[in-house]
Amino acid sequence: MDYEPPKIVFPAPAYPVKVVGGAAPDFEAFVLATFQAHAPEVSEAQLSCRPSRNGRFLAVTVTFTAQSEAQLAAIFEALKASGRVELVL
């Protein structure tokens, strides 16, 4: 039996994206601005942040309505290209 990952049905409400990067004071604002460039409706209320145990990293989870696979790909690419992001899930 072949395994096929589940398909995402768009628009996908409450779609979470976790972004991990260095714990700079402006990292949360950077993540928000990057999301808003591709999904203008995203607001600060849709972000949750959690520092790593030693405080070196910050995990920012953005929960929003993803409109398309292309939109998600553009957001992931912009975050990775910034050089500030360690991981995007």
Side-chain angles (χ1 to χ4, degrees):
M1 191 159 92
D2 290 332
Y3 172 76
E4 242 185 80
K7 303 265 188 240
I8 301 170
V9 177
F10 293 100
Y15 190 86
V17 175
K18 183 182 276 190
V19 183
V20 179
D26 67 334
F27 187 69
E28 184 179 352
F30 157 74
V31 171
L32 178 61
T34 304
F35 266 82
Q36 287 177 331
H38 302 280
E41 72 281 0
V42 173
S43 71
E44 194 171 337
Q46 293 167 274
L47 274 64
S48 64
C49 297
R50 194 173 132 221
S52 64
R53 190 177 342 179
N54 64 8
R56 267 185 70 208
F57 297 99
L58 185 63
V60 179
T61 301
V62 182
T63 305
F64 74 116
T65 299
Q67 298 298 324
S68 68
E69 198 168 321
Q71 179 192 45
L72 288 175
I75 291 169
F76 277 52
E77 185 59 38
L79 289 166
K80 289 181 193 176
S82 71
R84 300 187 65 183
V85 174
E86 298 291 326
L87 181 67
V88 181
L89 300 171

